Amino acid sequence: QVQLAESGGGVVQPGGSLRLSCVASGRIRSINAMDWYRQAPGKERELVASSGGSQRYADSVQGRFTISRDNAKNTVYLQMNSLKPEDTAVYYCAADVKTGVVSRGYYWGQGTQVTVSS
């Protein structure tokens, strides 16, 4: 019903920047929140940033990452600055989507790899 497609991942040196994008498509009535998660090898998936209501960030990225949305395009961005090797992970987009009058679901993208390495 709803598809999320991330882009913008890649390899960057420590201290560098990347901008991730995620576009939602499909049967969308409205989007309540669009979030970014990440999962590093051997670790659990963690919430990085949320755009629902008031913006929230993980302590580890506060001041370095910025989440923003273009509601007209059903798109969320994650601007990542001052990247560190510990930011290396697969980054996932997720969205709380209303697909009908009462139907609602939380959907996930396939993920995009971010590698921070010299």
Side-chain angles (χ1 to χ4, degrees):
Q1 286 185 322
V2 176
Q3 297 80 41
L4 300 178
E6 303 101 333
S7 61
V11 180
V12 63
Q13 292 186 343
S17 298
L18 281 176
R19 188 194 194 205
L20 305 183
S21 300
C22 173
V23 180
S25 61
R27 187 179 177 182
I28 298 171
R29 187 179 181 92
S30 63
I31 300 178
N32 299 312
M34 297 186 80
D35 307 320
W36 286 99
Y37 291 77
R38 68 185 181 187
Q39 187 167 19
K43 295 187 177 181
E44 294 186 354
R45 191 172 296 188
E46 64 171 345
L47 177 66
V48 175
S50 175
S51 70
S54 58
Q55 293 180 352
R56 294 182 291 124
Y57 296 91
D59 289 344
S60 59
V61 306
Q62 183 74 45
R64 299 188 297 121
F65 290 10
T66 302
I67 189 170
S68 61
R69 283 176 62 177
D70 185 335
N71 293 326
K73 296 181 179 179
N74 290 335
T75 300
V76 64
Y77 305 96
L78 186 67
Q79 178 66 45
M80 305 185 295
N81 299 328
S82 302
L83 283 161
K84 304 175 181 180
E86 50 263 43
D87 294 318
T88 296
V90 177
Y91 283 72
Y92 297 90
C93 172
D96 179 5
V97 180
K98 195 171 182 181
T99 56
V101 176
V102 296
S103 57
R104 181 175 175 178
Y106 198 67
Y107 298 89
W108 292 86
Q110 294 297 309
T112 184
Q113 176 70 46
V114 172
T115 302
V116 184
S117 174
S118 56

